[in-house]
Amino acid sequence: MITHKAFKIQQASYYSAVLNFLTPFYPTAGRDNNFDVLRLFAASLVIFSHSWSLIGASDDPIVIWSNQSLHGGGLGVWIFFFISGYLVSESFQMRGLVGFIESRFLRIYPAFLVSLIFGVVIGAFVTTLPIGTYIADEQTWSYVYRSLLTDIQFVLPGVFAKLPFANGINGSLWTIPIEIMMYAGVIIAGVCKLLNRPTLSLLIIASVMTAFVIEPNWMLLIPRVTQIYVLPAILCFAFGMIFYTNKAHIPLHGLYVLSIIGLIIYTRHAKPPGNIWVCFAIAYTTAWFAFHPWLRVKIPPRIGDISYGLYVYAFPIQQTIIYNYADAGPWAIFAISLPITALVAWISWHLIEKRALALKGRLVFLRGRKFS
């Protein structure tokens, strides 16, 4: 039985928790945040959503739970891009131009290359072509070298030809060229000293975002900019830059988070994707979870940063599961593919990605003084 004193203590604790939730706070510097676990969440969202879309199911549960407002895969990608916009801007400020280029290359390309080879190897076991023909086919090799040049190729000869998502080997890689183009935007902003000028950066970035929304075709240098999921990804990255440069001026408030999410769900305001309001909601909510002082979640070093690996390896693994278990439902595909992909991502992190990142500052052709 709870005593009156215990009840008072419990009540005080409850009120303290509510007060903490309703108290605004600001982003903190350094690595004291939840970005790592949020990236894991975003990557898992993409895998979750693909468990439906890759078998031709029209709506994943996120669509239903959000009152037709959000798609799970898109939401995961947009969270990724907001986090990237924030952290990549911070990286330029910390490392300067040369160090920034080096660190971005080492973070993106090693696992990207291995994921392409991984797809080719899987394709060799499921292609309808004789193995010699498959290996000799120009399309097999163009899948690797053209994708590395950011002209992403999504099919391999004879691979997964009869699946609901026919011929697709790794559809998730469409984001890589967009990400790299966004890095170019950060470089321009950094060299022009916009990243340490909050008001000016806000005005310029907001103007560019408005131009994107009014007429995406003005920005045709960005691959597939007119496709449905590309524009919101760009907007979320831009919001990440804005939140970084204005981190001392943007209060994060739990009540605002609830209000924003509730309004979007109630009005179905995410249709069509790309709406600035929805992208701001994703950005603000992600920032709130990332920096809330009571929500610190650390990933143990023995696990490592496997979020990128989850993203780049999941698609061919899920296609392989569907290939071998044609009657598997989406929940089963998700339950099987997530741990398998996590294992592959864990191996990739410890054998490839972490070792590549350890080369920062050691690449001779990128050595030189900082420009910021």
Side-chain angles (χ1 to χ4, degrees):
M1 182 176 179
I2 300 177
T3 65
H4 180 72
K5 182 179 180 180
F7 175 76
K8 286 292 186 182
I9 293 173
Q10 189 179 52
Q11 189 179 44
S13 176
Y14 169 78
Y15 287 140
S16 176
V18 172
L19 183 63
N20 183 274
F21 180 81
L22 296 177
T23 300
F25 56 90
Y26 293 85
T28 54
R31 297 187 61 82
D32 189 20
N33 55 59
N34 295 314
F35 278 137
D36 288 344
V37 73
L38 283 168
R39 282 193 297 239
L40 277 179
F41 172 71
S44 299
L45 266 181
V46 174
I47 297 173
F48 180 76
S49 181
H50 282 174
S51 299
W52 272 258
S53 60
L54 290 181
I55 61 172
S58 57
D59 291 335
D60 65 53
I62 304 295
V63 177
I64 298 170
W65 298 338
S66 67
N67 192 30
Q68 309 293 315
S69 292
L70 294 169
H71 178 273
L75 178 59
V77 167
W78 302 336
I79 291 172
F80 259 129
F81 269 81
F82 168 75
I83 295 173
S84 182
Y86 189 100
L87 294 181
V88 167
S89 299
E90 183 179 56
S91 175
F92 189 97
Q93 287 294 86
M94 291 173 57
R95 302 178 184 280
L97 177 60
V98 173
F100 174 82
I101 294 172
E102 178 191 50
S103 66
R104 292 301 89 208
F105 176 84
L106 292 173
R107 187 66 190 99
I108 292 295
Y109 267 89
F112 180 29
L113 171 60
V114 173
S115 72
L116 293 171
I117 296 171
F118 181 72
V120 171
V121 172
I122 285 181
F125 289 95
V126 299
T127 182
T128 57
L129 302 178
I131 188 64
T133 304
Y134 171 78
I135 293 174
D137 197 297
E138 168 64 20
Q139 190 178 34
T140 302
W141 299 106
S142 67
Y143 170 76
V144 177
Y145 73 78
R146 288 182 63 180
S147 294
L148 286 174
L149 296 174
T150 70
D151 180 16
I152 304 296
Q153 306 298 296
F154 297 104
V155 299
L156 285 167
V159 172
F160 299 134
K162 296 182 180 180
L163 294 191
F165 197 89
N167 302 311
I169 184 63
N170 202 340
S172 296
L173 299 183
W174 68 268
T175 62
I176 300 294
I178 315 299
E179 180 85 1
I180 292 173
M181 289 296 295
M182 294 301 96
Y183 294 165
V186 171
I187 289 174
I188 293 170
V191 170
C192 294
K193 305 298 183 182
L194 292 179
L195 297 178
N196 50 13
R197 302 182 68 180
T199 303
L200 183 59
S201 67
L202 174 61
L203 290 174
I204 293 177
I205 295 172
S207 298
V208 173
M209 292 168 68
T210 303
F212 265 114
V213 173
I214 293 173
E215 183 47 75
N217 287 314
W218 292 347
M219 308 294 178
L220 288 178
L221 286 176
I222 297 178
R224 289 175 285 278
V225 70
T226 58
Q227 293 184 5
I228 193 168
Y229 292 118
V230 176
L231 179 57
I234 295 169
L235 295 177
C236 284
F237 189 98
F239 272 123
M241 295 178 67
I242 288 173
F243 269 68
Y244 172 73
T245 57
N246 290 269
K247 57 183 178 292
H249 310 289
I250 302 176
L252 301 173
H253 201 304
L255 190 59
Y256 297 164
V257 170
L258 291 178
S259 301
I260 291 169
I261 294 175
L263 186 60
I264 288 174
I265 291 175
Y266 178 74
T267 61
R268 299 184 182 183
H269 211 51
K271 297 292 185 179
N275 186 290
I276 283 186
W277 167 245
V278 175
C279 293
F280 171 76
I282 292 169
Y284 191 90
T285 303
T286 303
W288 186 86
F289 277 104
F291 292 106
H292 197 288
W294 278 23
L295 300 176
R296 291 290 182 265
V297 181
K298 297 298 180 184
I299 298 174
R302 64 179 178 273
I303 295 178
D305 186 3
I306 65 171
S307 58
Y308 183 49
L310 279 177
Y311 185 77
V312 297
Y313 298 113
F315 198 104
I317 290 173
Q318 290 184 288
Q319 284 282 73
T320 303
I321 292 169
I322 296 166
Y323 176 84
N324 286 286
Y325 302 99
D327 295 329
W331 286 102
I333 294 169
F334 177 66
I336 298 169
S337 62
L338 183 62
I340 293 174
T341 308
L343 176 60
V344 174
W346 180 81
I347 294 170
S348 176
W349 169 254
H350 287 280
L351 294 186
I352 300 161
E353 297 164 63
K354 185 169 72 172
R355 297 185 180 191
L357 291 172
L359 297 175
K360 288 180 182 179
R362 300 180 186 179
L363 299 185
V364 175
F365 69 93
L366 282 175
R367 285 180 181 170
R369 68 180 183 87
K370 291 185 176 181
F371 288 83
S372 69

